[in-house]
Amino acid sequence: MPAQKQLYGLYGEPRDFALPNFMHCETIEYRSKKYDWHIEMHRHAHLFQVFLFESGFGQLQLQNQLVELREACILILPENTLHGFVLSSDVQGMVLTLSQDFIETIFYKSPQIPLALNQVLFLQAEADADRFKHITQLIQQLYTELVHELPEKKLVLQSYLTLLLTEVFRMYGAISGQKETNGSRSTDYYNAFRQNIRQSRSPQKSIQEYARDLRITDVHLNRICKQVAGQTASQVVQQFFILEAEKHLLHTEYSISEIAYSLNYKDPAYFSRVFKGVTGKSPKAFRRG
């Protein structure tokens, strides 16, 4: 199959940027105003977002939840989170969007940070006012750096991003009462497992093979995944490959059979059943949008 550039859009507009080291920052009001302050339900495959709400109010709609946004807060939305907004016209704040792969690359030696942030989080400003103020300053500095062409721009952006997400992680830890540790043995195994999945994306391995690479049993690997992520090892693998399939469906011209075979599904019909079971749509319907 021919290689194709994989491009992504934020809100359905023409896809004009590429992964894996994607980073974008803008004011919340800039994007919201274009959509008359009502952004329909959508999700971003492979993209992670940090929202900084400073003033105004609105509602966040998640798949099965409606959340009122009436106080200054930080909102974390991990990749593939179905969400939408209805916001007041006086809303003020910033939104940072970046690729999930970029986060995991930056925090390769501190996997507890992307793991902790891999969930929907609401961090109220008043719960840690000093850190909220620092995060506000960091995201403003990052935004300024993004819009200017200065020497060593990539280095500075990565430094700001590392500081920003580390401060968000610390704020989460302070509010939730979790200790800032270097991660448990289970977390280390889980992150090594996820890294192995990414590296062996084609072809897939069996759970027994993944476990053997970690020098543990498949039963132990399942126990770790349930403890850390609330999923079985098979579900973790399945989720990754379904996201890969979505990427191909949206951003390449590969046939459904070609996508199935490239991801090591030997039967395209089985691939289609699995895909529909996870996403609620057949691959063909998903591609049509």
Side-chain angles (χ1 to χ4, degrees):
M1 293 179 292
Q4 299 204 18
K5 188 178 182 183
Q6 295 167 347
L7 300 177
Y8 296 75
L10 284 176
Y11 300 95
E13 72 279 12
R15 301 179 181 100
D16 56 356
F17 53 88
L19 299 182
N21 293 340
F22 172 72
M23 186 190 308
H24 179 77
C25 190
E26 65 186 13
T27 65
I28 294 175
E29 51 268 36
Y30 170 80
R31 184 71 56 171
S32 303
K33 188 175 182 179
K34 289 187 173 184
Y35 292 88
D36 198 26
W37 312 101
H38 185 188
I39 296 177
E40 298 287 349
M41 294 284 283
H42 64 285
R43 61 179 177 174
H44 309 296
H46 312 285
L47 295 178
F48 172 97
Q49 292 186 298
V50 179
F51 288 83
L52 175 74
F53 289 95
E54 297 181 85
S55 62
F57 64 90
Q59 289 183 328
L60 165 67
Q61 185 178 358
L62 298 172
Q63 187 166 3
N64 298 310
Q65 187 180 8
L66 194 64
V67 180
E68 297 289 333
L69 300 170
R70 296 189 175 276
E71 298 178 8
C73 68
I74 293 168
L75 166 65
I76 300 296
L77 291 180
E79 60 178 338
N80 212 37
T81 302
L82 187 63
H83 65 284
F85 291 102
V86 178
L87 301 169
S88 63
S89 59
D90 62 345
V91 69
Q92 290 188 338
M94 304 291 293
V95 55
L96 171 66
T97 304
L98 58 150
S99 61
Q100 183 68 34
D101 285 345
F102 196 11
I103 298 175
E104 297 192 4
T105 298
I106 291 173
F107 292 107
Y108 178 75
K109 293 186 178 180
S110 300
Q112 69 275 12
I113 294 179
L115 181 62
L117 301 183
N118 190 33
Q119 58 184 310
V120 177
L121 295 177
F122 300 93
L123 306 176
Q124 299 293 342
E126 63 180 15
D128 195 344
D130 290 341
R131 187 158 278 129
F132 182 85
K133 182 178 179 181
H134 188 207
I135 291 169
T136 301
Q137 293 169 343
L138 285 170
I139 201 167
Q140 288 288 352
Q141 290 170 319
L142 188 149
Y143 173 75
T144 301
E145 188 69 25
L146 267 173
V147 299
H148 292 91
E149 292 301 326
L150 298 171
E152 302 301 333
K153 178 176 180 176
K154 289 183 179 179
L155 177 63
V156 174
L157 284 172
Q158 183 165 322
S159 298
Y160 278 140
L161 181 60
T162 302
L163 284 170
L164 173 65
L165 294 183
T166 300
E167 283 294 272
V168 172
F169 170 72
R170 289 174 173 176
M171 186 173 180
Y172 167 63
I175 292 173
S176 66
Q178 294 191 3
K179 295 181 179 179
E180 298 172 15
T181 69
N182 290 326
S184 67
R185 186 64 172 161
S186 292
T187 299
D188 292 340
Y189 274 128
Y190 177 76
N191 282 285
F193 174 46
R194 291 185 67 199
Q195 184 67 19
N196 197 334
I197 296 171
R198 289 180 181 276
Q199 292 174 345
S200 61
R201 64 182 65 195
S202 181
Q204 297 182 36
K205 297 179 181 180
S206 68
I207 298 303
Q208 289 77 14
E209 288 173 313
Y210 286 120
R212 188 161 55 246
D213 288 344
L214 296 171
R215 298 184 179 180
I216 59 177
T217 67
D218 55 330
V219 173
H220 190 185
L221 179 57
N222 265 307
R223 188 181 301 118
I224 287 169
C225 290
K226 288 179 181 179
Q227 176 188 341
V228 175
Q231 296 177 310
T232 66
S234 294
Q235 287 172 328
V236 174
V237 173
Q238 183 184 78
Q239 182 181 53
F240 174 82
F241 282 98
I242 291 300
L243 287 172
E244 287 294 294
E246 289 180 354
K247 181 170 64 177
H248 288 303
L249 288 166
L250 291 174
H251 311 298
T252 77
E253 296 179 358
Y254 301 159
S255 70
I256 292 170
S257 292
E258 286 174 326
I259 293 170
Y261 291 133
S262 74
L263 297 176
N264 207 35
Y265 289 95
K266 296 181 179 179
D267 181 355
Y270 172 71
F271 161 71
S272 295
R273 289 196 299 272
V274 172
F275 188 92
K276 186 173 183 179
V278 174
T279 67
K281 292 183 177 180
S282 68
K284 185 175 181 181
F286 183 87
R287 173 168 266 171
R288 287 200 306 264

